[in-house]
Amino acid sequence: MSGIINGNPTKVFFIEMLTRDISITDAIIDLLDNSIDGASSINKNDYSNLYIHLTLNENEFIVEDNCGGFSLDTAQKYAFRFGRPEDAPPTTGTVGRFGVGMKRALFKMGKVFEVESKTDDDHFQIDVDVAKWKEQKTIEEKDGVDVKRDDWNFNYNIIDDQSKNLDNNGTYIRVTDLYDEVSNLFTDESFLNDLTDDIERILNFSLEKGITIKLNGKTLSKKGIYLLMSERVKPYYYEGEKNDVKFRVLAGLSHTGDPSVAGWYIYCNDRLVVEADSTELTGWGVRSNVKFHPDYAMFRGILFLDSDDTLKLPLTTTKKGIDSTANIYKTSRTYMEEGMNYVLSFLKDVRKLEDSDDYRNTLDEVEEKKNVVELKRENFNSYDSRKFFAPDLSPDVIKTKKDSVRISFSAPIKLAGKAKVHSGSKSYKELGENIFDYYTKMEELLDE
């Protein structure tokens, strides 16, 4: 005799259990990831003129963007499914993977939510009262008997009035009837400050690309990762590909300062998932017999992992870690450890210098720095692969500083590109020099 045992999931599991695996901060950043995925579909390299606005208070949570929105077809077939359907179209360089992020975030925060999306072809809204949705049933006939089953569907309304919440193509999400603990957090200045810092660090790559993110009206700043990179200082690098995942390893020096920001940074499709790591995960500790020391505060390592098929990236579901057993990560870590050994060997020699602090400060003051976006775009063809270069350790080099100072500033990519073409500059560095020359010549004219 054989039979069937019911293995269907329950709504209570998704509402009450799945949401426990993620913090409120991670839930919010999950929603921001969706907006940035939309921005990437518009232009992968330049997010200028795109924005994400967050509003958090004791009564509501709102995230609104102008990053393209998603179609009604996507909403019907994929976006509101619990889990990624097998027939879902392939992801193209996004960070969304498992099909639970948006729903989990919304269920985490409150009991009522609305999602509005506007594209060139669609404008619709989904309103959900979680308590009512949880009790929503459908009736199926089985062996002549009506059987009630959970109805997992959501209802939508087409918006004909273009003056709803969205004037531009994008997404508007609002959660109300917040859970008490969430409502309390949203009025806690300490939480809001920490959230600001987390967004600025984790999404720094997107901020570098020009997207504007506001939290309760405050524009957030980018907190990028930088490497010293010039004619005298060149980081170790290696790049390769395995199973449709491209990887680039960079290991070098950054500015002096807090040792807590030293270590490895790992980006998956430009999203920071591991930061300032100095554990066994990235080759430190017992396995390599290399333990972190404050004298290694200048060490920075960056691993870029990129794939059109996001499922092939070694991401965890919360996007806050790496699956260290994944073959692509094992391959990458071989080169991470090699590059790290080169840099740490150099820093050990610096540590032996009588005036080691002067040497570190000199490097920081006079050598050029490049941020993660520049490093991602850098053409390393002229570099000697798998080598690390730094200035001589002789006292003359340490005590001699350049009689010039490095001037650095950021500008919108699109505008900077136009300025480069207009000025005839071959690089952004040359553009900066031309701008300085133009200004000093103008000052000379004014003085005459």
Side-chain angles (χ1 to χ4, degrees), residues 114-131:
E114 62 180 284
V115 178
E116 179 185 344
S117 179
K118 185 177 185 297
T119 68
D120 287 337
D121 301 316
D122 301 308
H123 192 182
F124 62 94
Q125 181 172 317
I126 298 166
D127 293 292
V128 179
D129 182 316
V130 176

Side-chain angles (χ1 to χ4, degrees), residues 12 16 106 126 164 199 227 239 245 253 284 286 300-301 324 351 368 387 409 416 422 432 446:
V12 173
E16 298 182 6
L106 299 180
I126 298 166
K164 186 63 176 172
I199 294 172
L227 287 184
E239 58 184 78
V245 179
L253 304 172
W284 302 78
V286 177
R300 297 292 188 281
S324 61
R351 183 171 58 184
E368 295 182 22
K387 294 288 178 66
F409 62 92
H422 186 269
L446 293 173

Side-chain angles (χ1 to χ4, degrees), residues 228-237 251-253 339 342-343 346 359 363 367 382-392:
L228 302 184
M229 194 166 172
S230 65
E231 290 301 316
R232 300 199 305 167
V233 183
K234 297 181 180 181
Y236 166 100
Y237 98 97
L253 304 172
Y342 276 121
V343 180
F346 167 77
Y359 182 87
L363 287 183
E367 299 300 338
S382 61
Y383 274 52
D384 190 357
S385 179
R386 299 170 68 176
K387 294 288 178 66
F388 167 73
F389 299 95
D392 195 331

